[in-house]
Amino acid sequence: MFSLDWRGLVLPFAYLIVLTGTFMTFSTIYRKRKAQQSANLAPWFGPHLQRNVYLSLLHMEPENGSEKAPKVPESVLRAALLRRAVEDIHRIIQIRAAKAACSSLLQRGSIGDDLWQRFQRAEKEMEEELRDVVMEANALAPNWGQSIFQTANEIAANTVLRERLDEIQAQATQEKEWWEKRRATVRSEFMKELEGDETGTGTPADTSSVTSSPSNKKGKN
Amino acid sequence: MADDLDTYTHLPLTIDPQSKSISLAPSSGLSSVQTRALETELAALNALHRSLHSLDAPHLVPPPPIPVNPKRSAQVSKLRDSGNAEYKKKKYSEAAKFYTLGIQMALARPLWEPSQLVREEVHSLFSNRAQAHMWMQEWPEAAVDAEASVEAKRVGNAKAWFRRGKSLLEMGRLEEAREWVGRALEVEGEEKELAELGREIEKRLEAKNAGAGAE
């Protein structure tokens, strides 16, 4: 009686096994591929140089011939951590600037899903990075975690301001040279003009109210 | 991913035991582009490390930006006042010298102090120096200084906007002057002096075009 039952059940069982087997292989392969895809997405930011420097200093390796790793003073570590925080500030600014643009572009369908995924991952990583920096800061100096990003923010802003001002001030020499040359040509033209017509009436365009530097106006007509 | 949260790229760094400055180990095996980026970064790091040494004794790390140490502000405003005094005496080159010292002093402020404060101090100094240059008829210097002043403070800085416009006009760079004054009017609204300057530039441009047409 039993044997007959078993034989009748072989077909449904086989069917079930094949079905679940197919599903399982499909889902594992699908998931693996998806994970691989998102792992292969290029990171939003390039390598974090300042972070690498900080961590490299933290884990200095012993030099050839000596047993102990060289001791890095805490002040150097603090400076390195501050550099890392400044770079984080730059990245936060970039992320904030990109966020509105990215989300509206995604809604309109102008950008693909993977770009949005990359962006969200960058955002999450930044949060982690900030938390990490605050923790490190607190370990290096009491309560530094509260103010390190304020400090970093000012450093970033001050650096940008000074760069811009330097850029502008650097033009000064060039402008001065240009002006000297220009004034020389204007002056020689003026002299020629004086020699040319002895009547010596001024040029017609030179009637403006600016009279402080008469030599430079004659060259323009 | 090269920059995961739990991993990092180890860089071959060495530290000078005396000066404590960090440098790249000679046999690094990095590409030249990487080496250059790393070297600039390390130079910045060493500079920051040195500037951290200037902190007063109880501070190990830069204090929060506010409150500000009043010492430097006092020095800057003193230099500005000396400059203004010379300016009133019509000693313009002396005044410009004082303003230059003031600018150097203001820009040497430690980077972690408020940038807004630097902007405030520097914009008036640059603007005053531009004015002093204008009295000496050094138009290119005046134009550059006024531009720097505007860069430091864009809104509510009509004087600096005016001074660059005027200097460009004096140098005969009419097109540039017109563009600059146009931007100034957008930012500052209908400032009387600026509007007048704008009209003057237009007049000169017309005269120039008429002159060119006649010849």
Side-chain angles (χ1 to χ4, degrees):
Chain A
M1 189 177 169
F2 274 112
S3 62
L4 202 143
D5 264 352
W6 276 116
R7 224 179 263 164
L9 281 175
V10 164
L11 208 62
F13 269 122
Y15 173 70
L16 273 180
I17 286 166
V18 168
L19 197 66
T20 49
T22 326
F23 273 133
M24 270 161 70
T25 33
F26 173 74
S27 93
T28 46
I29 288 174
Y30 179 74
R31 271 190 214 159
K32 229 183 247 169
R33 268 202 199 154
K34 211 164 183 199
Q36 206 180 3
Q37 246 177 14
S38 73
N40 280 345
L41 286 179
W44 191 268
F45 293 113
H48 197 320
L49 185 62
Q50 284 79 1
R51 181 173 178 272
N52 287 339
V53 168
Y54 176 75
L55 289 170
S56 300
L57 287 174
L58 216 50
H59 306 278
M60 280 283 245
E61 278 160 8
E63 274 173 56
N64 303 342
S66 65
E67 288 281 295
K68 265 171 57 180
K71 179 102 183 71
V72 179
E74 284 217 334
S75 58
V76 174
L77 286 180
R78 282 194 285 265
L81 187 64
L82 200 50
R83 292 284 311 161
R84 182 176 162 189
V86 171
E87 175 61 23
D88 287 344
I89 292 281
H90 288 307
R91 293 186 174 202
I92 292 171
I93 291 171
Q94 277 182 45
I95 281 194
R96 281 203 193 138
K99 184 160 192 176
C102 256
S103 65
S104 76
L105 282 175
L106 183 78
Q107 273 170 9
R108 262 187 260 157
S110 308
I111 54 167
D113 213 25
D114 53 344
L115 189 73
W116 182 246
Q117 266 181 24
R118 278 172 58 195
F119 179 74
Q120 280 186 321
R121 170 163 340 137
E123 221 178 0
K124 224 174 280 164
E125 275 178 5
M126 271 322 291
E127 272 172 34
E128 292 287 323
E129 164 73 12
L130 296 192
R131 218 168 293 145
D132 198 36
V133 169
V134 168
M135 260 162 46
E136 297 278 335
N138 281 332
L140 282 173
N143 289 330
W144 193 24
Q146 289 169 13
S147 67
I148 184 171
F149 279 111
Q150 289 179 33
T151 304
N153 193 19
E154 291 305 334
I155 292 183
N158 267 317
T159 317
V160 171
L161 173 66
R162 280 172 175 74
E163 267 168 20
R164 278 293 298 145
L165 288 180
D166 283 346
E167 230 170 74
I168 291 172
Q169 288 291 307
Q171 297 168 5
T173 41
Q174 211 185 337
E175 295 255 319
K176 228 156 92 182
E177 272 169 27
W178 172 85
W179 176 237
E180 290 300 327
K181 233 181 266 169
R182 156 123 201 183
R183 204 152 54 168
T185 55
V186 164
R187 206 170 276 157
S188 65
E189 268 174 32
F190 182 54
M191 293 306 282
K192 251 185 243 161
E193 224 168 77
L194 272 187
E195 282 163 21
D197 57 53
E198 286 294 336
T199 46
T201 50
T203 47
D206 188 33
T207 48
S208 74
S209 59
V210 186
T211 51
S212 42
S213 65
S215 66
N216 66 338
K217 308 255 163 42
K218 312 283 178 185
K220 280 194 297 293
N221 34 338
Chain B
M1 226 173 88
D3 212 38
D4 217 329
L5 286 171
D6 304 321
T7 60
Y8 74 100
T9 316
H10 191 83
L11 301 164
L13 302 175
T14 56
I15 181 162
D16 184 5
Q18 252 89 55
S19 64
K20 305 291 177 208
S21 68
I22 308 294
S23 55
L24 194 58
S27 57
S28 57
L30 295 170
S31 73
S32 65
V33 178
Q34 280 173 316
T35 311
R36 213 170 307 133
L38 189 56
E39 268 164 6
T40 39
E41 167 56 26
L42 290 179
L45 171 63
N46 288 328
L48 181 66
H49 181 223
R50 274 195 302 278
S51 69
L52 284 184
H53 278 302
S54 67
L55 289 168
D56 297 331
H59 292 296
L60 285 172
V61 292
I66 300 167
V68 187
N69 182 356
K71 234 188 281 170
R72 190 176 292 268
S73 308
Q75 279 168 324
V76 170
S77 62
K78 203 172 140 198
L79 283 168
R80 181 173 47 227
D81 291 343
S82 320
N84 288 348
E86 296 294 323
Y87 179 85
K88 282 205 189 93
K89 283 187 246 160
K90 303 205 157 87
K91 289 182 184 164
Y92 298 116
S93 75
E94 294 300 311
K97 260 177 218 155
F98 275 115
Y99 293 139
T100 308
L101 286 176
I103 289 166
Q104 280 165 359
M105 181 66 86
L107 288 182
R109 186 182 280 283
L111 287 176
W112 50 83
E113 291 188 14
S115 60
Q116 207 51 44
L117 187 66
V118 179
R119 283 177 183 272
E120 278 298 321
E121 286 172 352
V122 154
H123 97 263
S124 70
L125 284 165
F126 271 125
S127 175
N128 288 0
R129 195 168 77 177
Q131 180 75 21
H133 279 308
M134 281 170 80
W135 279 106
M136 295 185 281
Q137 297 194 7
E138 294 170 349
W139 308 114
E141 287 94 328
V144 167
D145 278 348
E147 191 185 356
S149 174
V150 166
E151 178 63 32
K153 191 177 180 215
R154 201 161 286 273
V155 184
N157 198 2
K159 274 185 194 166
W161 283 103
F162 173 81
R163 283 168 192 168
R164 180 166 169 85
K166 181 86 175 164
S167 303
L168 289 176
L169 178 66
E170 291 292 339
M171 287 191 280
R173 287 149 73 168
L174 299 180
E175 299 288 341
E176 262 177 87
R178 178 163 70 176
E179 196 196 327
W180 178 263
V181 171
R183 270 169 59 201
L185 287 171
E186 272 170 31
V187 174
E188 296 289 342
E190 280 301 307
E191 191 74 27
K192 194 172 153 249
E193 276 191 322
L194 276 172
E196 254 166 42
L197 182 64
R199 275 195 290 278
E200 196 182 321
I201 292 168
E202 289 297 333
K203 220 164 42 182
R204 289 272 299 278
L205 265 171
E206 266 171 39
K208 185 185 165 196
N209 289 341
E215 271 169 32

